[in-house]
């Protein structure tokens, strides 16, 4: 199943662009995309504001920070720096998807409705240096949550 906001259900709803409310480490988030884009900002106020965004609005806000984080190969959350290729960053991503999964019933239902599908994300990038979440990182997390529950 190719995950994407323009695809049919449930692939469309499993997109990071979908508005799913959850709280991550005491910050209210309106989508996982907003949270992922927030990681590009060092400033906590910018992170919180970005977490409120959904879909393309979140992507657009984070786009202006791409050169900065890519040059440093560092992402941030609540005053902590995460090297992009670090185990700590992977743990942060796991915590983010666990929060979404555990708190949002609609997200869990979309995963359930995917049945025995294997996930792909053909529009995703694969180079860690260019994206905060590669196609592989994204699909493996969705697959694990669907098949086994929390990461």
């Amino acid at each position: 199943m190719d995950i994407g906001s323009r695809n049919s259900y449930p692939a469309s709803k499993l997109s990071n662009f979908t508005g799913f409310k959850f709280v991550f480490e005491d910050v209210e988030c309106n989508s996982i995309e907003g949270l992922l884009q927030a990681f590009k900002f060092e400033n906590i106020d910018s992170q919180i504001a970005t977490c409120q965004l959904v879909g393309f609005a979140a992507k657009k806000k984070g786009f202006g920070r791409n050169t900065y984080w890519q040059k440093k190969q560092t992402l941030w959350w609540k005053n902590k720096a995460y090297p992009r290729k670090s185990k700590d960053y992977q743990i942060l991503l796991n915590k983010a998807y666990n929060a979404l999964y555990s708190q949002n019933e609609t997200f869990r239902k979309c995963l359930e409705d995917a049945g025995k599908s294997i996930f792909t994300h053909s529009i995703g990038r694969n180079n860690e240096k260019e994206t905060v979440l590669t196609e592989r990182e994204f699909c493996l997390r969705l697959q694990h949550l669907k098949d086994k529950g929390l990461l």
Side-chain angles (χ1 to χ4, degrees):
M1 174 181 297
D2 191 27
I3 305 300
S5 61
R6 296 186 180 163
N7 296 347
S8 61
Y9 180 85
S12 59
K13 293 298 182 188
L14 291 171
S15 164
N16 288 335
F17 274 32
T18 302
F20 287 125
K21 291 183 182 286
F22 66 102
V23 176
F24 183 63
E25 297 185 351
D26 300 321
V27 175
E28 292 182 20
C29 301
N30 287 324
S31 71
I32 196 80
E33 186 68 26
L35 178 59
L36 293 170
Q37 296 300 323
F39 294 158
K40 297 177 180 180
F41 295 89
E42 291 174 87
N43 178 281
I44 292 176
D45 291 334
S46 295
Q47 291 174 347
I48 292 169
T50 306
C51 285
Q52 298 302 302
L53 301 175
V54 175
F56 186 72
K59 183 98 172 165
K60 184 177 178 184
K61 181 159 185 187
F63 184 79
R65 295 288 293 183
N66 282 346
T67 301
Y68 185 75
W69 84 261
Q70 288 170 349
K71 186 175 181 181
K72 293 185 173 288
Q73 286 299 293
T74 301
L75 296 150
W76 299 268
W77 183 246
K78 289 187 152 185
N79 291 322
K80 183 174 178 184
Y82 292 85
R84 174 59 180 93
K85 291 186 177 183
S86 69
K87 182 176 182 179
D88 284 345
Y89 182 64
Q90 294 301 312
I91 291 169
L92 182 70
L93 290 173
N94 286 348
K95 288 179 182 178
Y97 276 91
N98 282 341
L100 172 59
Y101 179 84
S102 64
Q103 296 173 37
N104 194 289
E105 185 178 336
T106 305
F107 177 73
R108 289 192 307 274
K109 173 80 166 97
C110 292
L111 282 172
E112 181 183 313
D113 289 347
K116 296 185 180 194
S117 298
I118 302 297
F119 297 125
T120 61
H121 185 56
S122 62
I123 62 171
R125 292 187 169 185
N126 292 306
N127 187 340
E128 291 174 321
K129 292 180 180 181
E130 297 174 353
T131 183
V132 297
L133 186 72
T134 65
E135 174 189 13
R136 182 175 186 278
E137 290 168 330
F138 175 52
C139 291
L140 285 175
R141 281 175 174 80
L142 288 184
Q143 201 74 50
H144 184 96
L145 290 170
K146 179 178 74 68
D147 295 342
K148 299 177 182 170
L150 294 177
L151 298 158

